[in-house]
Amino acid sequence: MNLRDQFEYREVYSTPSTPFSHRYQTSHQSRVAVVKPSESFYVHCQDAPQEQLPRCVRDYRRKFCARIAKLNQQRVKERRKIILKDRVDCLSERLERVRLVYTDYHQKRNQNWLKTRELMDNDMKEHLQRRERKLIERVESLREHNGQVKNRCELLRYGNYLRRIARQHEERRKRKSIF
């Protein structure tokens, strides 16, 4: 018996020598496939409204067991706890990273502020020291000048005093006409 005769549906066969542009074509047979629907067809489609399932399906259905259902519920709860714990851990890691970035940024900013303030304080101290030195030099030069002025004043007074004495002496001499 030929293999083609076993099947009742159209068969695809290869004819490389045909004048068509493609290699595969269907054979023109008048036979139509006659397939008996499977039991799943009866269970799901044809006998769906039935209350009682067929025996072949009933044997393969799981039997309900309270212990197994309880174990499954416990496993579901445990998985849910694990998932929630993973979420919490992930969020806490992200928050920790955010906190580290935040503290690092503020620490750097505060360090920059402190460096700037320290530089300003140092500049101000240097400016004040220069200003104080200049003021001290100015005061010393003014004291020295005042001392010189006092010396000149004393010399002038002494010179005026000597002239006055000399004038008085002249006047006395003229009065007495000693020379």
Side-chain angles (χ1 to χ4, degrees), residues 31-177:
R31 290 183 270 173
V32 178
V34 178
V35 178
K36 180 182 173 195
S38 65
E39 286 189 16
S40 62
F41 171 77
Y42 285 111
V43 170
H44 296 293
C45 300
Q46 188 174 348
D47 298 334
Q50 285 182 352
E51 300 254 340
Q52 199 60 257
L53 294 173
R55 187 165 188 271
C56 62
V57 175
R58 260 186 282 141
D59 290 342
Y60 290 104
R61 279 190 68 140
R62 283 187 182 178
K63 308 289 189 284
F64 177 76
C65 180
R67 185 179 58 82
I68 293 175
K70 193 173 182 181
L71 284 174
N72 287 339
Q73 288 175 354
Q74 286 177 352
R75 286 187 195 130
V76 166
K77 286 179 184 177
E78 288 172 6
R79 269 184 272 146
R80 194 173 290 141
K81 284 180 186 177
I82 290 170
I83 290 171
L84 286 175
K85 186 177 180 266
D86 287 345
R87 281 186 187 171
V88 167
D89 291 344
C90 181
L91 284 174
S92 62
E93 287 175 7
R94 290 174 71 185
L95 284 174
E96 182 64 23
R97 271 187 269 139
V98 167
R99 188 189 66 77
L100 286 174
V101 168
Y102 176 80
T103 54
D104 186 43
Y105 167 75
H106 282 287
Q107 187 177 10
K108 286 180 182 175
R109 193 181 73 174
N110 288 341
Q111 286 177 354
N112 287 338
W113 277 106
L114 291 173
K115 283 180 185 176
T116 306
R117 190 175 79 179
E118 187 178 336
L119 288 172
M120 288 173 63
D121 288 345
N122 290 338
D123 289 345
M124 209 52 202
K125 284 178 185 176
E126 289 175 6
H127 172 73
L128 287 175
Q129 288 173 354
R130 280 195 308 264
R131 187 75 182 149
E132 286 176 1
R133 261 185 280 144
K134 286 183 180 178
L135 287 174
I136 289 170
E137 289 172 3
R138 178 80 175 149
V139 167
E140 287 176 359
S141 67
L142 284 174
R143 280 184 187 156
E144 189 178 316
H145 176 70
N146 286 344
Q148 290 173 358
V149 167
K150 279 183 184 177
N151 288 341
R152 285 180 192 158
C153 284
E154 288 177 14
L155 285 174
L156 284 173
R157 279 184 194 154
Y158 188 67
N160 287 340
Y161 174 71
L162 289 177
R163 270 187 234 123
R164 198 178 328 136
I165 291 177
R167 212 180 306 132
Q168 287 174 358
H169 187 61
E170 265 311 301
E171 287 174 4
R172 278 187 198 165
R173 195 179 55 112
K174 283 183 184 176
R175 272 189 238 147
K176 290 187 182 181
S177 23

Side-chain angles (χ1 to χ4, degrees), residues 12-29:
V12 176
Y13 65 94
S14 173
T15 57
S17 61
T18 56
F20 295 110
S21 61
H22 54 83
R23 287 185 62 205
Y24 298 104
Q25 64 182 3
T26 59
S27 66
H28 302 286
Q29 295 178 355

